[in-house]
Amino acid sequence: MTSKQFSSVWVREPRQSKAQGHGLSRDQIVRAALELLDAEGLEALSMRKLGAKLGAGATSLYWHVANKDELLELAYDEIWGDMPVPDPDTVGWKDTASAFAHGMRQAILRHPWAASLIGRMPAIGPNSLRAGDRLCRALVLAGFRGMDQDYAGSAITAYVIGTTIPEVAWRSMSQAAGYDTESMREIVKMAAADYPDLVARTEHLAGLDERAVRAVNFDFGLLCVLDGLERRLGS
Amino acid sequence: MTSKQFSSVWVREPRQSKAQGHGLSRDQIVRAALELLDAEGLEALSMRKLGAKLGAGATSLYWHVANKDELLELAYDEIWGDMPVPDPDTVGWKDTASAFAHGMRQAILRHPWAASLIGRMPAIGPNSLRAGDRLCRALVLAGFRGMDQDYAGSAITAYVIGTTIPEVAWRSMSQAAGYDTESMREIVKMAAADYPDLVARTEHLAGLDERAVRAVNFDFGLLCVLDGLERRLGS
DNA sequence: ACCTGAACACCGTTCAAGT
DNA sequence: ACCTGAACACCGTTCAAGT
């Protein structure tokens, strides 16, 4: 029953607050939530724990936010706050799109818990919209109009979240299990034993630094997407 | 503490079972879980509810599966079971990759709860591996070798999950809220009011059938990815 | 305007005990 | 070999009551 409903904090008026200064504030709660999320992950965030961290009862939070999902929505949008997107007019659409993609990936890598939220809340907070608007304008500048503009934008974001979600998942699994990359690969090899091609595919990764491989992998695919987009412009 | 750990059902020996015939079996549990998931979604699946559906206590399940995550891993892999992937030798790599992508998308759309599991469990079950192997072979046939082969494969799967996760999310949100597509778009427009380009972007969707738009969107992006991959082959 | 504590209706999982 | 029930340690959320 949680985590659904399209009601979004962003379209509801916030509770009016007095001048205050003492006691809890929504910003303060969101900041504390972010700290907890960054430090311990999504599953570690409970209203009780967050309340305790703020020296208050769990139920005190409910005056400032409607429920946990709304709190997560607020925290989630913060993630996109420090995504540097250059001005498309000066660097061109491809570089802008590329910077957007890299910034988005970094934002998720820096806040891995956000990966699990991607399918769960609408990304219509102010930070998210600002970044989206920049990408949007870059695509107009490229020459995409009408539907194609939507399609192009969603191809880029889809690629980013599609690469980054598994990347984050892999990292957090290996970390939680206390395994290094090499032993993780061993396990995958065991599971895939029946498929020589798949085994070979993990075997040639032996000795390679995972993060480096992921980074190159990301650029490779991004190049494909951008090349493909460019080609659609011609026709 | 749940949902992490790299321990995967697929690399652990299952409990040996007798001839039986009466009582619970692992297959039976997984089948019931799938029914519940398809009917009511991920959040509605609890061990107690599943036990009840099978006429047993919740704790009875723990003899057949180690924990809830393991059960989800088993159910999750089933999703990829009916993904038709043609033989790359007869239809060529691009058509194979395209069929793979469409099959993957359909599998997720048919079992929306699986979308939330994508970043949470390793996809190394038998069905998942079989499909992966086919894609892998198609890419070899295309001419991708070594790292490029990995990169190409992950570009395709990344694109699919990156498009499909938000699609499923959008659907389930509108369904849960009881809104139709048009009123959902109104809400997004309100949230994005400060960004004329973004408002325009949702405005020209007015009156269009969402599913149809999504389908075209998917093909557009997929074409970009495949075109981009093809171009990398040349160099 | 803001915070509290008690209470409700849930969870997943363990474990001793049964058959 | 398999199932049970009681129990533990949690959840998110509501709500009457306080200040």
Side-chain angles (χ1 to χ4, degrees):
Chain A
M1 221 41 56
T2 155
S3 93
K4 308 237 152 166
Q5 332 147 17
F6 197 75
S7 56
S8 190
V9 221
W10 311 111
V11 294
R12 201 184 7 257
E13 283 302 309
R15 266 240 215 304
Q16 72 275 31
S17 54
K18 304 193 63 167
Q20 90 320 337
H22 56 302
L24 265 33
S25 80
R26 194 153 116 165
D27 277 10
Q28 199 183 139
I29 292 171
V30 173
R31 265 200 309 277
L34 274 165
E35 277 173 33
L36 219 45
L37 288 164
D38 284 340
E40 307 185 36
L42 188 60
E43 321 227 334
L45 180 72
S46 77
M47 298 303 268
R48 291 173 216 267
K49 221 189 236 177
L50 182 57
K53 187 185 166 79
L54 289 162
T59 56
S60 310
L61 307 173
Y62 283 86
W63 198 86
H64 299 91
V65 293
N67 50 42
K68 192 184 179 182
D69 268 10
E70 186 170 301
L71 173 60
L72 286 175
E73 238 186 316
L74 291 164
Y76 178 48
D77 187 64
E78 291 298 316
I79 294 316
W80 313 117
D82 45 358
M83 232 182 88
V85 184
D87 184 1
D89 296 294
T90 68
V91 299
W93 77 271
K94 256 183 153 181
D95 282 345
T96 305
S98 179
F100 175 93
H102 280 97
M104 202 171 153
R105 174 168 180 261
Q106 288 305 330
I108 301 172
L109 294 183
R110 267 197 294 265
H111 309 282
W113 51 271
S116 321
L117 259 33
I118 285 173
R120 246 172 71 185
M121 8 213 61
I124 54 175
N127 288 315
S128 171
L129 289 173
R130 184 170 344 113
D133 185 60
R134 295 262 186 79
L135 177 63
C136 192
R137 280 178 29 232
L139 294 171
V140 174
L141 220 79
F144 290 105
R145 292 296 132 80
M147 288 297 183
D148 282 5
Q149 195 188 331
D150 296 289
Y151 299 159
S154 87
I156 293 169
T157 57
Y159 173 71
V160 177
I161 76 178
T163 343
T164 315
I165 287 177
E167 178 171 2
V168 162
W170 178 269
R171 273 195 207 179
S172 83
M173 281 186 296
S174 79
Q175 183 192 322
Y179 292 161
D180 61 349
T181 303
E182 226 59 54
S183 37
M184 295 274 287
R185 286 179 184 147
E186 276 311 311
I187 295 176
V188 172
K189 256 167 66 179
M190 278 175 47
D194 292 344
Y195 300 95
D197 286 8
L198 292 182
V199 173
R201 217 176 125 180
T202 90
E203 243 155 18
H204 74 257
L205 292 171
L208 269 51
D209 175 46
E210 158 129 42
R211 303 216 171 196
V213 171
R214 293 273 184 189
V216 179
N217 193 340
F218 183 76
D219 286 330
F220 179 101
L222 183 57
L223 216 69
C224 290
V225 174
L226 296 178
D227 275 359
L229 286 174
E230 194 169 37
R231 190 164 148 190
R232 302 287 285 185
L233 276 173
S235 62
Chain B
M1 219 41 56
T2 155
S3 96
K4 308 240 151 166
Q5 333 147 19
F6 196 76
S7 57
S8 190
V9 223
W10 310 111
V11 294
R12 202 183 7 258
E13 283 303 310
R15 264 232 214 310
Q16 72 274 32
S17 53
K18 305 192 65 166
Q20 89 324 335
H22 56 302
L24 266 34
S25 79
R26 196 154 116 165
D27 277 12
Q28 199 183 141
I29 292 171
V30 173
R31 265 199 310 276
L34 274 166
E35 277 173 33
L36 219 45
L37 288 165
D38 283 340
E40 307 185 36
L42 188 60
E43 321 227 336
L45 180 72
S46 77
M47 298 303 267
R48 291 173 216 265
K49 223 189 235 175
L50 181 58
K53 187 184 166 80
L54 290 162
T59 55
S60 310
L61 307 173
Y62 284 86
W63 198 86
H64 298 91
V65 294
N67 49 43
K68 191 183 180 184
D69 268 10
E70 186 170 301
L71 173 60
L72 286 175
E73 239 186 316
L74 291 164
Y76 179 46
D77 187 63
E78 291 298 316
I79 295 315
W80 313 117
D82 45 357
M83 233 182 87
V85 184
D87 185 0
D89 295 295
T90 68
V91 299
W93 77 271
K94 256 183 152 180
D95 283 345
T96 305
S98 180
F100 175 93
H102 280 97
M104 202 171 154
R105 173 167 180 263
Q106 289 304 330
I108 302 172
L109 293 183
R110 268 198 294 266
H111 309 282
W113 51 270
S116 321
L117 259 32
I118 285 174
R120 246 172 71 185
M121 7 213 61
I124 53 175
N127 287 316
S128 170
L129 289 173
R130 182 170 346 111
D133 185 60
R134 295 262 187 78
L135 178 63
C136 193
R137 280 177 30 233
L139 294 170
V140 173
L141 220 80
F144 291 105
R145 293 295 133 79
M147 288 296 183
D148 280 6
Q149 196 188 329
D150 296 289
Y151 299 157
S154 87
I156 293 168
T157 57
Y159 173 71
V160 177
I161 75 177
T163 341
T164 315
I165 287 177
E167 179 170 2
V168 162
W170 178 270
R171 275 196 206 178
S172 84
M173 281 186 296
S174 80
Q175 183 192 322
Y179 292 159
D180 62 349
T181 303
E182 226 58 55
S183 37
M184 294 274 288
R185 286 179 185 148
E186 276 311 312
I187 294 175
V188 172
K189 257 167 66 179
M190 277 174 49
D194 291 345
Y195 300 96
D197 286 8
L198 292 182
V199 173
R201 216 176 126 181
T202 90
E203 244 155 19
H204 73 258
L205 292 171
L208 268 51
D209 175 44
E210 158 129 41
R211 302 216 174 198
V213 171
R214 292 272 185 190
V216 179
N217 193 340
F218 183 76
D219 286 331
F220 179 100
L222 183 58
L223 216 70
C224 289
V225 174
L226 295 179
D227 276 358
L229 285 174
E230 193 170 38
R231 189 163 150 190
R232 301 288 285 185
L233 275 173
S235 61

